[in-house]
Amino acid sequence: MDAADQNGWSAVAAEWAELWGSFADPARQAVLVEARVGSGSRVLDVGCGSGEFLAMAHALGAVPFGVDPAPGMVSLAHASVPSADIRLRGAEHLPWPDAFFDVVTAFNALQFADDPVIALAEMSRVTAVGGCVAVANWAEGALNDLNVLEAAVAAADDEELLPDGPLRPAGGLETLMRDAGLQVISSGLVEVPWKAPDDETLVRGVLLGEDAAGLAVRGPVVVEAAQPFRVDGGGYILRNAFRWVVARV
Ligand SMILES: C[S@@+](CC[C@H](N)C(=O)[O-])C[C@H]1O[C@@H](n2cnc3c(N)ncnc32)[C@H](O)[C@@H]1O
């Protein structure tokens, strides 16, 4: 594994893009509107993954920049938005000068930083005064059907799911922003449903990154736990939620 990619995101980049790449679009859409991203806005997406938000910002006429420590993610993001300036780096050290961007975002990424407080300070540093920093993350587990499946897998392994971290509950992101000296201007809860057309896709998505042996053992656990989420006509819909916050620097 690459030293700059200790979480293994490169290894799952293509599968992430295929199965999960667009599920956060409702949160991305809310942030685009609330942060007033438009023609000429200089926008940086931190932990940009396979580049879906960069593509949305680009479609609005913004000038997109991305950063991610996983080479596999960076190359997918480049392929998706060839004109974007995308760099291989973590949130903790952003390779841009102070006050360079109008809007800096992180979707489902801040929790992977070694220290989210330091990462947020760095996101603030590169944002112009009057610009916006926006963060969107999974809401508390109780609002996410995915949690039911992950709890079933953990129980089958004689383990328990870790408790929700501080970024997930209502008010968590707002507190983080205010503690960083930012002024919260809007926030919300948005549904981010995830759909799987069949058992095979369900298992690959929920057990993203598992090897063949892991899929064979845990796949049936996932399928059994997902039965409440089956839909007419086949397949599954997991109803999940993200919280998002937009704050002014
Ligand atoms: C769950 S994916 C989300 C990707 C994308 N933001 C999205 O919404 O689809 C998490 C991303 O965070 C990236 N990441 C991991 N550690 C990070 C860090 N220290 N700073 C910034 N991004 C990081 C991973 O490489 C991965 O692309």
Side-chain angles (χ1 to χ4, degrees):
M1 193 183 298
D2 190 286
D5 184 20
Q6 291 164 358
N7 296 326
W9 283 104
S10 281
V12 298
E15 223 169 7
W16 169 267
E18 175 201 343
L19 299 173
W20 290 97
S22 56
F23 97 108
D25 279 358
R28 295 174 180 135
Q29 197 57 50
V31 165
L32 285 168
V33 171
E34 296 296 323
R36 304 203 174 169
V37 171
S39 186
S41 310
R42 243 187 227 185
V43 178
L44 170 66
D45 190 27
V46 173
C48 65
S50 36
E52 289 77 9
F53 180 72
L54 300 181
M56 292 169 85
H58 184 245
L60 290 175
V63 186
F65 295 73
V67 68
D68 198 291
M73 290 293 194
V74 168
S75 71
L76 286 176
H78 259 305
S80 166
V81 190
S83 65
D85 176 350
I86 305 169
R87 303 190 189 176
L88 187 63
R89 200 69 76 87
E92 300 82 355
H93 302 286
L94 298 174
W96 286 281
D98 295 357
F100 191 72
F101 297 103
D102 301 304
V103 177
V104 177
T105 58
F107 295 88
N108 193 9
L110 203 58
Q111 71 273 30
F112 298 111
D114 291 337
D115 184 339
V117 172
I118 290 175
L120 188 60
E122 189 62 352
M123 290 170 67
S124 304
R125 179 188 67 76
V126 297
T127 307
V129 173
C132 289
V133 173
V135 175
N137 264 73
W138 290 90
E140 57 271 36
L143 299 183
N144 299 314
D145 291 345
L146 181 64
N147 241 56
V148 175
L149 276 54
E150 290 180 339
V153 171
D157 289 346
D158 280 333
E159 290 173 2
E160 280 184 20
L161 277 188
L162 292 175
D164 287 334
L167 304 186
R168 284 189 171 218
L173 290 176
E174 286 89 337
T175 299
L176 184 76
M177 294 287 207
R178 290 193 182 107
D179 287 353
L182 300 168
Q183 180 197 354
V184 172
I185 55 174
S186 59
S187 60
L189 179 74
V190 65
E191 287 191 12
V192 287
W194 183 75
K195 298 177 186 173
D198 50 44
D199 288 4
E200 191 261 345
T201 312
L202 173 82
V203 168
R204 280 199 302 128
V206 173
L207 299 177
L208 190 76
E210 289 255 8
D211 60 16
L215 292 175
V217 171
R218 299 188 180 94
V221 176
V222 169
V223 170
E224 189 185 336
Q227 291 314 300
F229 313 122
R230 278 193 80 90
V231 290
D232 291 345
Y236 303 85
I237 298 181
L238 303 185
R239 292 193 166 72
N240 303 304
F242 266 27
R243 296 188 184 281
W244 57 268
V245 174
V246 176
R248 182 119 34 228
V249 172

